[in-house]
Amino acid sequence: MTLALRLGLMAAVLPMPAVAQEPAALAVERAAVAMRPGDHRWADDPALPGPVSIVVSVPMQMAFVYRGDRLIGATTVSTGKPGKMTPIGEYTILQKRPFHRSNLYNNAPMPFMQRLTWDGVALHAGNLPGFPASHGCIRIPTAFAQKLFNVTQLGGQVAVVNDVIAFPAYRPADTTPRLSDEGVGALASRDDRVSIGEGGHAPR
């Protein structure tokens, strides 16, 4: 038996590594199924085309991050508690600050803050108890928050949905609003790393 034939038979019998069997997006999706509070998975590939966008599922208490239409990250989250629920809707990132403190809630720290509204809703690192517990913000694990902060841009798309996302690996095209280049430039002029946030209320 030739060496080439032996190698061919071995390849047919031995299981291939999971990474080789499925795209990275499907591996992230698979990991998301078993996540517990505080868990997350990051598998970014900067070579993928398209901008970074985020989908937050309130009923799942999870967020999914896409580069173009491919899933590059998934994390557990904690959204707003009853009475201060995170509003469902389509948003753009209005402001980014590596470190921010709330002026509404006891100067609470909000690392890697990314503002979605001027009246108190943002993504930021925080405690994840396994259920909605914030004052309206979307809390994510610190390590994930830092990675996310480093790849997003002002004007980036964020959708907060009231739906269970059964198959998050690939994001279909949608009508999430985009800021014009002029709008992004105006926001960037208000920024300390990216924004100093004049006016409005601080995120919660």
Side-chain angles (χ1 to χ4, degrees), residues 1-193:
M1 187 180 292
T2 66
L3 178 61
L5 181 56
R6 288 178 183 174
L7 291 174
L9 288 172
M10 289 177 62
V13 172
L14 295 176
M16 297 297 287
V19 173
Q21 291 180 354
E22 60 184 10
L26 292 176
V28 175
E29 179 183 275
R30 184 170 293 179
V33 173
M35 285 184 182
R36 296 184 176 184
D39 288 350
H40 53 90
R41 180 78 173 263
W42 188 260
D44 188 20
D45 180 359
L48 289 172
V52 172
S53 62
I54 305 159
V55 177
V56 179
S57 169
V58 172
M60 296 174 73
Q61 289 294 282
M62 294 197 69
F64 302 99
V65 182
Y66 297 86
R67 188 178 286 277
D69 65 351
R70 298 295 181 91
L71 184 67
I72 61 169
T75 184
T76 50
V77 305
S78 180
T79 58
K81 60 188 176 182
K84 295 186 179 293
M85 294 181 67
T86 304
I88 303 301
E90 306 280 352
Y91 302 96
T92 55
I93 297 171
L94 301 173
Q95 179 191 47
K96 295 177 61 173
R97 303 181 79 177
F99 190 79
H100 178 79
R101 285 188 177 274
S102 172
N103 65 3
L104 298 178
Y105 298 101
N106 301 317
N107 210 31
M110 300 168 60
F112 305 111
M113 186 276 291
Q114 304 193 61
R115 186 190 293 273
L116 303 183
T117 75
W118 292 113
D119 60 357
V121 179
L123 283 154
H124 65 83
N127 181 44
L128 283 86
F131 51 84
S134 79
H135 290 94
C137 284
I138 302 157
R139 301 177 188 166
I140 53 181
T142 300
F144 193 92
Q146 182 173 12
K147 289 182 173 69
L148 183 62
F149 190 93
N150 288 337
V151 300
T152 57
Q153 303 291 332
L154 291 174
Q157 304 176 38
V158 180
V160 180
V161 302
N162 199 32
D163 304 306
V164 172
I165 302 169
F167 304 103
Y170 301 98
R171 181 179 184 180
D174 58 30
T175 57
T176 305
R178 292 176 181 272
L179 290 181
S180 65
D181 291 341
E182 294 78 13
V184 172
L187 290 173
S189 69
R190 302 171 63 158
D191 206 339
D192 55 0
R193 152 162 178 196

